[in-house]
Amino acid sequence: MAEPEDDRRPLPEGGEPEPKPVDEAAAWAEIVAGYDADPEPGTASWPEAEDVAEGSGKPGPAVVPTTPETTSIVIHPVLSGPRDYELDEDEDEGHFVPPEPPPLPNADVTTKFAWLAALGGPLLIFAFVLFQEEMPWWAITVGIGGFLGGFATLVTRMRPGGDEDDDLPGGGAVV
């Protein structure tokens, strides 16, 4: 029987021995060669020193659990579930019904024309593209100018949203 090789080199001047470099190609070849090989019966995949007996912290032989001779399945019937719940007629009494919202304020003529220009300009250009017509200069001018003018009018006419709106009835919770 051959003696195992010492994987250390002679001590240099400094003290600790240097380990030999691992031959990676040989290690990979060994892994690939044993890829499909089944382990021999009775051999563990780790050293016996690492086996732990159940219930104690001391090393011992590996215990292989045995399967019971018979297996059984117990099915418990479901008597009731969350979908079996029904509301009583009396439980519906405290239901909150919000009041009717106030009607929207009437828009003035300037706001209506601003919306018409902001939406109508792009629709005019879209119609020319959809029907594959050649776009004259006036359609481009009206489409782009209408959108920009309508949008600018709507933005400038927005309410400032200061503290004066806090006194509106039904405007939300007040703490």
Side-chain angles (χ1 to χ4, degrees), residues 12-39:
E13 293 179 19
E16 288 293 319
E18 294 180 15
K20 286 185 178 178
V22 177
D23 184 14
E24 290 185 19
W28 278 109
E30 183 182 340
I31 291 172
V32 170
Y35 180 72
D36 289 329
D38 291 330

Side-chain angles (χ1 to χ4, degrees), residues 3-164:
E3 291 288 324
E5 290 184 26
D6 186 16
D7 63 341
R8 292 185 260 178
R9 295 183 183 174
L11 291 174
E13 293 179 19
E16 288 293 319
E18 294 180 15
K20 286 185 178 178
V22 177
D23 184 14
E24 290 185 19
W28 278 109
E30 183 182 340
I31 291 172
V32 170
Y35 180 72
D36 289 329
D38 291 330
E40 295 178 16
T43 60
S45 55
W46 54 80
E48 279 188 40
E50 294 184 7
D51 289 339
V52 176
E54 290 184 29
S56 70
K58 299 178 183 176
V63 178
V64 178
T66 59
T67 57
E69 296 294 324
T70 60
T71 57
S72 62
I73 298 174
V74 178
I75 299 174
H76 297 283
V78 177
L79 301 175
S80 66
R83 295 188 182 185
D84 297 332
Y85 180 75
E86 293 180 13
L87 285 176
D88 293 335
E89 296 296 326
D90 298 335
E91 286 187 34
D92 204 22
E93 283 184 16
H95 187 66
F96 172 74
V97 178
E100 279 293 317
L104 292 175
N106 291 330
D108 59 341
V109 177
T110 308
T111 305
K112 289 179 184 178
F113 276 113
W115 277 111
L116 180 66
L119 297 176
L123 285 177
L124 177 68
I125 293 176
F126 181 71
F128 273 95
V129 171
L130 183 66
F131 295 120
Q132 297 179 353
E133 294 290 325
E134 186 176 332
M135 245 186 289
W137 66 269
W138 63 265
I140 296 172
T141 305
V142 169
I144 295 174
F147 171 73
L148 293 176
F151 181 76
T153 303
L154 289 173
V155 168
T156 56
R157 293 178 57 86
M158 287 175 52
R159 290 189 295 171
D163 293 336
E164 61 199 37

